[in-house]
Amino acid sequence: MFSNRTFNIVVPIVSVLLGLLAGAVIMVAFGYNPVAGYAAMWNGAFGDAYFLGETVRQVTPYILSGLAVAFAMRAGLLNIGVEGQVIVGWLAAVWIGSSFGMPPVVHVLVALLAATVAGGIWGFVPGLLKAKLGVHEVIVTIMMNYIALYLSNSVIRSVLTDGEDRTSNVAETASLAAPWLRELTFYSRIHYGFIVALVMAFTMWFLLNKTTRGFELRAVGSNPFASEYAGMKVGRNIIVAMVISGGFAGLAGAMEGLGTFQYASVSSGFTNIGFDGIAVALLGANTAIGVILAAILFGTLKIGALNMPTEAGVPTELVDIVIALIILFVASGYIIRWVFLKFSKEGK
Amino acid sequence: MDFLDALAIMVSSALVFAAPLIFTAIGGVFSERSGIINIGLEGLMVMGAFVGIVFNLTFSDMFGSMTPWISMLAAMVLSAIFALVHAVASITFRADQVVSGVAINFLALGVGLFLTREFYDRGQTDIISNPFYTWDVPFLSDIPVLGRMFFENYPSTYLAIAVALLGWFVLFKTSFGLRLRAVGEHPMAADTNGIKVYRMRYIAVMISGAMGGLGGAAYALTVAQAFSQATIVGQGFMSLAAVIFGKWHPLGALGAAIFFGFAQAISINGASWPLFANIPQVFLLILPYALTILALAGFIGRAEAPKSLGTPYIKGSR
């Protein structure tokens, strides 16, 4: 009576509710008013046009990093390396955007393409190692994250600038900035990137569900041995999946580089866009539409949280706890299923 | 600075940076040998660092010079309990172990920073007044050169090396260790032989929590001396790299952790040392990670993971 499809919807919803509930319990335990806390969060995400603009800005890279994780997951691969792919994508986009002169539309497209390619290359390495040598992609991608971080810092310091901590801004021709939208939202950092993100979500759906390649990828993801037997090249599909996944991640980086910040800077730690992408994909059950919805949820939580200290006195970090718990609950979907089945049996 | 001086300082600071990695990596070896992937080592270290610092700040008047030791103990116990979250999710609830580990990392940082704001009203704690101080081992530290290299270090460093040796002994010379490894290789066979698979895995994950806690606290009480968002940034993942680079063997992990400690020490202080001043910092920063990939790819000897690593054990399934 409960199909897998129903559970793909039930588990995330129950997990989100449990996560928010746990957040409320923590707020009560520390003497805050949870209603005021969540109201502050709501206002901080949707309260006025500025907050709305910021929320959309935050959702944009989340959609893309979520798609990156989801795409790999559909092919049976866990891409923890989205973080690193975001970083190299960001760097590549800013490099093209700030160091070259090109006509308007072309420039932005070339910069986006560069980000996709850079992310793709960063995904290619673990894909190749997995396909040819059977090396587990999780560890390789984690290591690639750090290599990306340090390499990018070094390139910014010694190639793109002369020892500076940030690059110059990207040229206007390469920028995703949307001045009229910014004006409309009281100068939030909203940009055209959300269109890119939505197009890419559609692209992923189309690729996976309407093309032979997508069918093969999903087949390899659900049963590599059967796929091999059916004559599909498992290794090649693994590499393709990782490259495309990396491409999505690279674009997520480009959103920050060409849209939100307009530059790249030396960073001591990760952007977390990639790690949050894991949460987004997981909650979105690895489907394009699910990823969009989950990205909206996490973007709302993250941006709304910034308003919680001022309006309700609750530390922003509460949201990190809530998000972590949501991931744990979704990952433990087995137990939610079990409880549901148990209760539905008893109800009969 | 003559060469021997430089070398002595280099080795000794490499050991300082290696100690937290050694603790954590030994924990990682236990968890992974029992079949549970532990990406959450980073989070366990965060928890250890947080508990270690908060305990130290709160109780330093009461315990005086014993404070850092008792802080280590508190970090060990609380991180072991915190690791239960990972154990419950990935063993009992059959969650994807990697995903659960990622959640642990988020959760530890969230809890640590949330409570830091609650307790201290800002994003970082005060500097502790009772950190570990270096301790010269009697007699041994009088040996020329070698004494300065190895025996004028923090007590936590000596403890880390002792723990690694103990870890090797437990894992390879006791029946408990044999059972733990059996559970990671072939849980069904272990189960038929009367070994309680779930219990062994719970114990292993809690050991990794305890060790990760010690590792985080060791870093916090020697190098960082305060807790903030930037205290533990990647040391947990580097420990994970050490587990793999050390081929899931406690002594291998010990060696790998010391080697990575070198890379870290050089990348931080290298500019002032002869020999290393000319190597671009980026290579040293990347080295541990690149080497791990090469090791996995089989260019530096084949690294073979425990057979059932990452698969939940479901009683009765074949």
Side-chain angles (χ1 to χ4, degrees):
Chain A
M1 60 174 290
F2 279 114
S3 66
N4 268 334
R5 205 183 199 121
T6 330
F7 272 118
N8 278 346
I9 299 168
V10 169
V11 170
I13 291 176
V14 171
S15 305
V16 170
L17 292 178
L18 284 176
L20 291 174
L21 187 69
V25 170
I26 295 171
M27 281 194 265
V28 172
F30 284 91
Y32 300 110
N33 179 352
V35 177
Y38 282 130
M41 174 189 279
W42 180 265
N43 292 336
F46 305 114
D48 67 22
Y50 172 82
F51 288 128
L52 187 66
E54 280 292 298
T55 303
V56 172
R57 173 193 69 73
Q58 184 73 33
V59 168
T60 304
Y62 278 176
I63 293 179
L64 287 162
S65 65
L67 289 175
V69 178
F71 193 89
M73 204 85 95
R74 290 294 280 275
L77 302 161
L78 187 48
N79 184 2
I80 303 269
V82 171
E83 190 61 50
Q85 293 146 13
V86 166
I87 293 174
V88 293
W90 185 333
L91 182 72
V94 169
W95 180 49
I96 296 287
S98 63
S99 308
F100 296 87
M102 286 179 216
V105 180
V106 179
H107 200 175
V108 104
L109 289 178
V110 171
L112 288 175
L113 186 70
T116 316
V117 170
I121 292 172
W122 229 247
F124 174 77
V125 176
L128 182 76
L129 290 173
K130 168 101 180 177
K132 298 290 171 204
L133 298 166
V135 184
H136 203 297
E137 75 278 5
V138 167
I139 307 296
V140 179
T141 48
I142 289 175
M143 302 303 136
M144 296 286 288
N145 284 342
Y146 284 96
I147 297 179
L149 177 67
Y150 294 126
L151 209 58
S152 155
N153 283 348
S154 164
V155 168
I156 291 169
R157 275 215 191 90
S158 28
V159 180
L160 294 185
T161 68
D162 201 10
E164 312 259 340
D165 279 351
R166 57 160 282 194
T167 65
S168 52
N169 277 11
V170 295
E172 235 167 78
T173 44
S175 167
L176 281 169
W180 64 276
L181 274 175
R182 296 188 56 172
E183 238 167 88
L184 210 62
T185 56
F186 307 142
Y187 299 96
S188 74
R189 288 176 293 172
I190 191 172
H191 52 81
Y192 284 126
F194 69 92
I195 299 172
V196 178
L198 292 177
V199 169
M200 283 301 134
F202 175 79
T203 309
M204 170 169 133
W205 171 81
F206 187 84
L207 256 176
L208 279 177
N209 296 303
K210 299 290 161 191
T211 65
T212 322
R213 170 64 65 196
F215 175 76
E216 280 199 20
L217 289 175
R218 284 185 292 135
V220 168
S222 39
N223 191 337
F225 304 106
S227 319
E228 177 98 60
Y229 189 66
M232 296 173 192
K233 292 205 165 57
V234 174
R236 198 171 63 190
N237 277 302
I238 287 175
I239 297 177
V240 168
M242 281 304 288
V243 168
I244 295 178
S245 168
F248 283 131
L251 276 177
M255 298 299 110
E256 301 297 87
L258 305 177
T260 309
F261 292 96
Q262 311 268 333
Y263 60 83
S265 60
V266 169
S267 165
S268 62
F270 289 123
T271 62
N272 274 335
I273 296 169
F275 290 124
D276 290 340
I278 298 169
V280 170
L282 198 66
L283 192 65
N286 302 323
T287 61
I289 184 77
V291 162
I292 294 177
L293 294 175
I296 291 174
L297 177 80
F298 283 131
T300 307
L301 289 176
K302 282 271 183 184
I303 295 297
L306 300 176
N307 192 38
M308 286 168 77
T310 37
E311 218 179 290
V314 182
T316 316
E317 284 78 12
L318 177 79
V319 163
D320 296 324
I321 302 178
V322 170
I323 289 180
L325 291 176
I326 293 177
I327 305 175
L328 271 177
F329 293 140
V330 180
S332 311
Y334 156 77
I335 206 72
I336 298 180
R337 254 165 222 248
W338 184 82
V339 170
F340 259 77
L341 288 175
K342 182 131 185 143
F343 275 102
S344 65
K345 264 183 208 149
E346 279 172 5
K348 259 193 281 192
Chain B
M1 193 158 46
D2 76 46
F3 178 74
L4 281 179
D5 278 337
L7 192 68
I9 294 172
M10 197 167 78
V11 172
S12 128
S13 70
L15 286 174
V16 171
F17 282 104
L21 304 181
I22 297 173
F23 280 122
T24 315
I26 294 301
V29 168
F30 272 83
S31 169
E32 304 232 332
R33 277 284 182 166
S34 82
I36 305 293
I37 300 177
N38 205 339
I39 304 275
L41 290 178
E42 177 89 3
L44 297 170
M45 282 187 87
V46 170
M47 195 44 81
F50 169 72
V51 173
I53 291 295
V54 170
F55 193 91
N56 197 305
L57 285 169
T58 316
F59 293 104
S60 87
D61 292 338
M62 195 187 301
F63 296 118
S65 62
M66 283 304 284
T67 321
W69 289 107
I70 301 173
S71 307
M72 290 276 276
L73 192 67
M76 184 172 113
V77 171
L78 283 174
S79 294
I81 294 171
F82 181 67
L84 265 180
V85 178
H86 183 49
V88 171
S90 58
I91 301 168
T92 308
F93 293 174
R94 300 175 201 165
D96 187 306
Q97 295 168 7
V98 174
V99 173
S100 164
V102 171
I104 290 290
N105 292 339
F106 278 136
L107 191 60
L109 203 55
V111 170
L113 292 175
F114 180 85
L115 291 178
T116 302
R117 273 194 209 285
E118 281 299 320
F119 298 159
Y120 305 98
D121 263 334
R122 53 208 167 91
Q124 65 177 73
T125 66
D126 297 324
I127 307 256
I128 51 172
S129 50
N130 256 321
F132 274 121
Y133 295 105
T134 52
W135 178 65
D136 300 354
V137 181
F139 306 117
L140 290 175
S141 59
D142 297 334
I143 306 172
V145 188
L146 286 183
R148 293 222 322 275
M149 272 185 198
F150 298 107
F151 301 110
E152 293 183 5
N153 219 299
Y154 293 106
S156 53
T157 309
Y158 310 129
L159 182 66
I161 292 167
V163 158
L165 298 175
L166 183 72
W168 166 79
F169 182 82
V170 169
L171 209 48
F172 286 95
K173 299 289 162 192
T174 65
S175 56
F176 169 80
L178 181 65
R179 288 192 186 128
L180 194 142
R181 285 181 290 132
V183 158
E185 293 291 329
H186 202 314
M188 200 175 65
D191 199 4
T192 17
N193 280 301
I195 300 171
K196 296 202 167 56
V197 176
Y198 289 166
R199 191 165 76 185
M200 288 309 294
R201 287 188 166 180
Y202 264 91
I203 293 172
V205 172
M206 287 186 77
I207 291 176
S208 81
M211 292 295 127
L214 281 179
Y219 187 82
L221 296 171
T222 56
V223 181
Q225 309 206 351
F227 177 79
S228 75
Q229 187 160 18
T231 304
I232 302 292
V233 278
Q235 290 93 328
F237 285 115
M238 202 183 264
S239 309
L240 184 70
V243 171
I244 296 155
F245 195 56
K247 295 175 185 166
W248 288 275
H249 192 289
L251 300 183
L254 170 68
I258 291 176
F259 180 67
F260 291 170
F262 252 104
Q264 265 197 314
I266 296 169
S267 75
I268 290 168
N269 305 328
S272 57
W273 294 338
L275 286 181
F276 293 100
N278 297 325
I279 302 177
Q281 199 198 19
V282 59
F283 289 118
L284 296 164
L285 287 170
I286 289 175
L287 192 70
Y289 307 109
L291 279 175
T292 305
I293 293 179
L294 290 178
L296 274 169
F299 295 122
I300 314 175
R302 190 94 185 109
E304 197 85 52
K307 287 236 167 33
S308 323
L309 190 60
T311 38
Y313 177 61
I314 303 167
K315 241 183 186 340
S317 71
R318 282 184 292 169

